[in-house]
Amino acid sequence: MEIRQLEYFVAVADELSFSRGAARVHVVQSAVSTAVSKLERELGVTLFDRSKLRITLTAAGITFLAEARATLDAARRARESVTGFHGRLSGTVEIGILQSSGAIDVPAVLGRFHRAHPLVSVRLRQSTAGSAGHLAAVADGSLELALVTLPDKRPRGVTMQVLLDEPLVFLCRPDHRLADREQIAITDLAAETFIRFTTGWGIRTLADRAFADADLEPVSPYEVGDLATTAGLVRHGLGTTLIPASEAARFSDLRAVSLESPLLWQVLLATPPPDRMSAAARAMADALRRTFENVAG
């Protein structure tokens, strides 16, 4: 059994796809498929159920995945034990990012990090399940750190630090009935066609709680997973929504109205305990903290 085989297996298990797993480790798909098949022969078990359109882990695969991650973590720590002898930080960091990080320019943070640590490879991952997906990945070890927003549940073994908060605002067309108001109450949205974000998004969680507390259930025919499409729907008169104030500023042709009782949207940094983080991941976490401190200050 080789470390390379374990890396390929974990990549495929995380992506539930041989093609996406191969892209993640920058190897052709045939090489990954061959390595995983060889691993299954060596172990004498089937790790993936390939009988359906989308592969899934078998019971043996689920059990083996936890041990494979632990072995890869041990190998990483062994490599890092000698990094001080060549004096430059190296390795790979996988970070989960959001559709919106508020006032933070994440590409700018990554650019500065790359210039400071050119030997570190950074991989970005977005989750269709929003913050909930990132938190699950940090908890199971497939991500070392992630930016998340207002999680309903905080998995055990995951450390959370609030980096930034800002209010949600009501986003509408300039000719909307509420556009000229300085502030509105949640109850003013009772008659609205409301555009919701995907389940798992922090914005969705905040909005749903506010509506439930006000005993409202607005009509919501649209559920959207990106901010640009949401703004487009608002622009064409198909609904209104709640959105972070910094994001609303991007859509200057639309009107942003404050809420009388502010709903604070938070960006948090999720990490495992320090002893489970690589030196490169700890450096990235520090870079994110410094950047958010500068914005907040």
Side-chain angles (χ1 to χ4, degrees):
M1 187 184 306
E2 301 174 1
I3 292 295
R4 174 180 55 82
Q5 290 175 301
L6 297 182
E7 290 175 340
Y8 292 177
F9 163 70
V10 169
V12 174
D14 284 344
E15 301 293 339
L16 292 180
S17 165
F18 279 92
S19 59
R20 291 195 299 273
R24 176 169 153 178
V25 294
H26 308 291
V27 177
V28 296
Q29 181 177 336
S30 58
V32 171
S33 297
T34 299
V36 171
S37 295
K38 181 180 177 182
L39 180 62
E40 289 177 316
R41 289 195 299 272
E42 291 176 0
L43 295 172
V45 296
T46 300
L47 298 172
F48 293 104
D49 181 353
R50 302 167 173 82
S51 64
K52 300 176 182 178
L53 289 176
R54 183 178 183 183
I55 66 168
T56 57
L57 283 163
T58 62
I62 292 171
T63 300
F64 186 68
L65 179 60
E67 298 301 327
R69 291 196 199 282
T71 301
L72 292 175
D73 283 343
R76 170 181 55 76
R77 289 194 296 270
R79 287 193 299 269
E80 289 180 353
S81 68
V82 298
T83 57
F85 291 96
H86 55 69
R88 302 191 74 182
L89 194 64
S90 61
T92 300
V93 179
E94 285 205 44
I95 176 173
I97 60 172
L98 301 165
Q99 285 277 348
S100 168
S101 297
I104 294 301
D105 186 344
V106 171
V109 176
L110 298 180
R112 289 192 294 272
F113 184 84
H114 175 69
R115 290 189 290 275
H117 306 290
L119 299 182
V120 176
S121 174
V122 178
R123 296 175 182 166
L124 301 182
R125 192 193 302 181
Q126 287 187 325
S127 171
T128 55
S131 295
H134 283 334
L135 283 170
V138 173
D140 70 23
S142 57
L143 276 179
E144 284 190 280
L145 65 162
L147 297 177
V148 299
T149 62
L150 195 70
D152 278 334
K153 297 179 181 179
R154 301 189 179 193
R156 295 179 62 181
V158 177
T159 299
M160 309 289 292
Q161 178 183 356
V162 177
L163 299 177
L164 189 73
D165 55 41
E166 63 176 273
L168 295 184
V169 296
F170 174 66
L171 192 71
C172 63
R173 286 167 52 99
D175 58 358
H176 188 275
R177 64 184 179 88
L178 299 174
D180 293 330
R181 298 269 292 273
E182 290 297 322
Q183 290 186 328
I184 61 168
I186 284 293
T187 52
D188 290 326
L189 307 184
E192 290 299 307
T193 299
F194 191 77
I195 302 165
R196 277 192 164 102
F197 289 96
T198 306
T199 300
W201 280 45
I203 304 171
R204 167 70 178 266
T205 301
L206 277 172
D208 284 354
R209 286 179 183 173
F211 287 133
D213 289 345
D215 198 25
L216 298 179
E217 194 169 337
V219 175
S220 299
Y222 305 107
E223 185 174 293
V224 183
D226 70 274
L227 294 164
T229 300
T230 301
L233 293 172
V234 174
R235 187 174 290 115
H236 289 284
L238 297 173
T240 58
T241 195
L242 296 173
I243 194 171
S246 61
E247 291 295 341
R250 294 171 45 197
F251 309 116
S252 57
D253 59 322
L254 299 175
R255 177 82 168 95
V257 183
S258 299
L259 298 177
E260 291 176 0
S261 299
L263 299 178
L264 286 182
W265 175 79
Q266 295 180 325
V267 176
L268 304 95
L269 178 64
T271 65
D275 61 351
R276 284 178 47 202
M277 295 178 69
S278 66
R282 289 194 295 271
M284 173 61 79
D286 288 342
L288 288 165
R289 291 187 188 102
R290 287 193 300 272
T291 301
F292 276 86
E293 286 168 2
N294 291 338
V295 170

